Amino acid sequence: MTKQAGRSARDSVWREGGPRRGGRSGQPSGLDRERITEASVRLLDAEGLAKFSMRRLAAELNVTAMSLYWYVDTKDDLLELALDAAFAELRLPDPENTDEDWREQLRALATAYRQLLFRHPWLSPLAGRFLNIGPNALAFSRVVQRVVRRAGLPAHGVTGAISAVFQFVYGFGTIEGHFFARIADTGLSPDEYFEQAMAVVDEVPGSGDVMRESKDLMAARGGDTVAEMLDRDFTFALDLLIAGIEAMVARG
């Protein structure tokens, strides 16, 4: 059984005694955990999760693969470090600032998370693989919780509201990231790809009625480009969720 298969809920690079930080004789010069993590993020962005390996990362850093093991025990350690490094990109509002409306703070957090998932398509599969207890992920979770608490929900409803909003964002951002990655592989623009895809679907037997209904809905939605259509859908769906939180607060 590999270490990946045998990982338990207690396994995390962030636990005491986690990643090695160097300091022993014979360690490779010019390396540290921060540099290795930054290179991991760049490589994941460039080549994706499936191609990521200790050997490929070592080549990127111009060191031997064994050199990396002075700082981490496994590839999973690197992935967990990269995951938390990505969360550091999020700009977090001050949840104690009562001059800012909680709704706008929640919209800002949800939008930033969507953009993060879009920039790093490898992030979404990792988010469910690890405990997400790195400092940046915890900071994000803490701010989200405090912002949603300000809405006035009963304590037992706070986690449900957070799930409603951020599981929606997770799904939207994940699909959006995969969709644009597929487009990039074709060499087409998003709008060209969309037009071709719609034409292909039109040719599928039995799809006529469904497509006519879908086209009417898309026309009503508005938006001249794929990006505009996605933005409008995201904004409207997020408004629905926030309105739902407001309705639950009003119900007491």
Side-chain angles (χ1 to χ4, degrees):
M1 179 179 292
T2 65
K3 184 160 186 176
Q4 171 65 30
R7 288 177 69 88
S8 72
R10 292 180 58 83
D11 289 327
S12 172
V13 74
W14 299 108
R15 291 186 66 224
E16 185 178 357
R20 300 179 180 131
R21 298 173 182 268
R24 297 185 296 173
S25 61
Q27 72 186 62
S29 61
L31 281 184
D32 55 40
R33 191 172 72 173
E34 182 177 358
R35 184 184 171 205
I36 292 171
T37 302
E38 290 174 353
S40 297
V41 172
R42 289 198 306 272
L43 198 58
L44 287 162
D45 285 344
E47 300 183 0
L49 184 58
K51 295 182 179 179
F52 184 80
S53 69
M54 299 288 271
R55 186 182 299 276
R56 180 67 188 86
L57 177 61
E60 182 75 9
L61 290 166
N62 197 29
V63 299
T64 66
M66 289 304 298
S67 300
L68 301 176
Y69 290 103
W70 289 92
Y71 302 92
V72 292
D73 289 327
T74 67
K75 184 177 81 170
D76 278 347
D77 288 347
L78 284 174
L79 294 175
E80 194 172 8
L81 290 168
L83 176 63
D84 196 66
F87 274 93
E89 299 174 17
L90 295 171
R91 296 184 62 183
L92 304 179
D94 178 5
E96 310 306 324
N97 183 358
T98 56
D99 290 335
E100 293 186 12
D101 190 277
W102 68 267
R103 300 163 187 82
E104 293 310 310
Q105 288 190 331
L106 187 57
R107 286 189 180 94
L109 286 163
T111 300
Y113 188 42
R114 171 198 173 189
Q115 294 168 346
L116 188 72
L117 290 162
F118 179 78
R119 286 196 302 273
H120 306 299
W122 50 270
L123 189 149
S124 58
L126 295 185
R129 185 185 302 183
F130 300 110
L131 294 177
N132 288 8
I133 56 174
N136 297 309
L138 287 179
F140 175 67
S141 296
R142 185 178 298 112
V143 169
V144 167
Q145 184 179 113
R146 290 179 178 176
V147 167
V148 174
R149 277 181 178 272
R150 286 177 53 203
L153 288 167
H156 69 266
V158 170
T159 56
I162 292 171
S163 295
V165 173
F166 287 94
Q167 289 188 24
F168 151 69
V169 178
Y170 175 88
F172 194 101
T174 297
I175 293 173
E176 183 179 27
H178 291 171
F179 176 64
F180 276 87
R182 181 173 183 177
I183 291 172
D185 289 339
T186 67
L188 300 171
S189 72
D191 298 318
E192 290 169 340
Y193 181 89
F194 180 74
E195 289 178 6
Q196 288 193 13
M198 293 296 290
V200 169
V201 174
D202 274 338
E203 297 172 359
V204 176
S207 67
D209 290 342
V210 175
M211 288 308 301
R212 276 191 292 274
E213 293 177 11
S214 297
K215 288 177 179 177
D216 289 344
L217 291 174
M218 285 188 286
R221 170 177 58 181
D224 296 326
T225 67
V226 170
E228 288 173 346
M229 287 188 286
L230 288 171
D231 284 345
R232 290 187 183 188
D233 281 350
F234 180 83
T235 299
F236 189 80
L238 185 56
D239 284 345
L240 284 177
L241 291 167
I242 292 174
I245 294 174
E246 292 173 323
M248 294 301 290
V249 171
R251 285 173 57 176

